[in-house]
Amino acid sequence: MNRRRLVVLVGVLAICGAACYPFATAAPAAKEGAADSLAVRTARAQLRLAELTMQKVQEMNKKVAGTLSASMTAQIVDDVEFAKAQLENALQPGGGDPFQAWLRRAELAVRSAEFKLKKVKEADRRAPGSYVALDIERLRLGVEIAQLKLERGKSLASASPEAKLQWQLEMLDDGVARLRNQTSMALQNRMSEF
């Protein structure tokens, strides 16, 4: 039960941080230096939160091995990497381009999806039948979709700011939908335990 709550909490924090970042950096401010300072401070705080979340997960896994799966731990490491990309972007003169941080997020999503698929296939090889073909196919499609989203993002490198923002919003919307599905599934699994 605590594990599910932590997974949901980490997901919510990651999505909220990702959601807030474009708005903190995209709006032009009256004083350019003040806006940059706010964007940098926000990015530093998001990085620190991601690092503390990773530290918490590591401590939990030290106390009880496997409290969180390797794929969940990898996702948290990816959240730290994304927060670093946001900070690097915020430190750029003029606040940088938030689109670049989102491209990094898309790259991390591909890596995460590939990692999950690899782990499930390895587990199924060690213990045939551990996973049903439906689950493996869902993970394979997750990898394909993540790769297509990254490819689409890269294709927008010279697109208008509006087109880039639209892609970022689609990425955010997909993340929220995925979190909603995971939460529903976790609740359904919990209800079936009774």
Side-chain angles (χ1 to χ4, degrees):
M1 185 166 89
N2 289 338
R3 179 177 169 184
R4 287 184 186 139
R5 285 184 182 166
L6 180 62
V7 168
V8 170
L9 177 63
V10 168
V12 168
L13 290 174
I15 289 174
C16 287
C20 293
Y21 182 73
F23 301 110
T25 60
K31 295 181 181 177
E32 190 66 30
D36 289 345
S37 176
L38 181 59
V40 170
R41 289 183 6 227
T42 302
R44 281 192 178 124
Q46 288 174 329
L47 175 58
R48 184 68 182 135
L49 178 61
E51 290 170 339
L52 290 174
T53 302
M54 184 172 64
Q55 182 181 346
K56 177 70 175 173
V57 167
Q58 290 169 339
E59 288 173 4
M60 290 173 64
N61 278 342
K62 280 182 187 176
K63 287 180 184 176
V64 180
T67 300
L68 288 178
S69 68
S71 63
M72 187 62 207
T73 303
Q75 178 62 49
I76 292 166
V77 169
D78 288 349
D79 290 343
V80 171
E81 290 299 313
F82 180 63
K84 286 178 182 177
Q86 287 179 310
L87 178 58
E88 289 171 12
N89 189 52
L91 290 169
Q92 300 272 333
D97 180 9
F99 179 73
Q100 294 304 315
W102 277 89
L103 278 178
R104 181 67 181 135
R105 172 62 95 182
E107 291 168 355
L108 293 169
V110 169
R111 185 173 80 179
S112 178
E114 290 171 341
F115 181 80
K116 288 176 188 174
L117 179 61
K118 178 183 170 192
K119 287 296 184 184
V120 165
K121 284 183 173 182
E122 286 173 1
D124 200 53
R125 265 193 299 275
R126 286 191 308 271
S130 301
Y131 291 91
V132 295
L134 177 71
D135 290 333
I136 294 171
E137 179 63 10
R138 288 178 70 239
L139 290 171
R140 189 197 64 73
L141 283 170
V143 170
E144 183 178 340
I145 289 168
Q147 290 170 335
L148 290 168
K149 287 179 185 178
L150 174 60
E151 189 176 318
R152 180 159 178 261
K154 287 181 176 180
S155 74
L156 295 171
S158 60
S160 70
E162 292 81 15
K164 290 177 180 180
L165 183 59
Q166 179 62 40
W167 176 76
Q168 290 170 285
L169 290 172
E170 289 169 12
M171 294 285 290
L172 180 60
D173 187 50
D174 290 346
V176 170
R178 191 172 45 256
L179 180 61
R180 190 179 316 122
N181 288 338
Q182 290 172 345
T183 303
S184 275
M185 292 176 86
L187 290 174
Q188 287 175 355
N189 287 339
R190 183 164 186 244
M191 295 304 285
S192 67
E193 291 174 0
F194 294 108

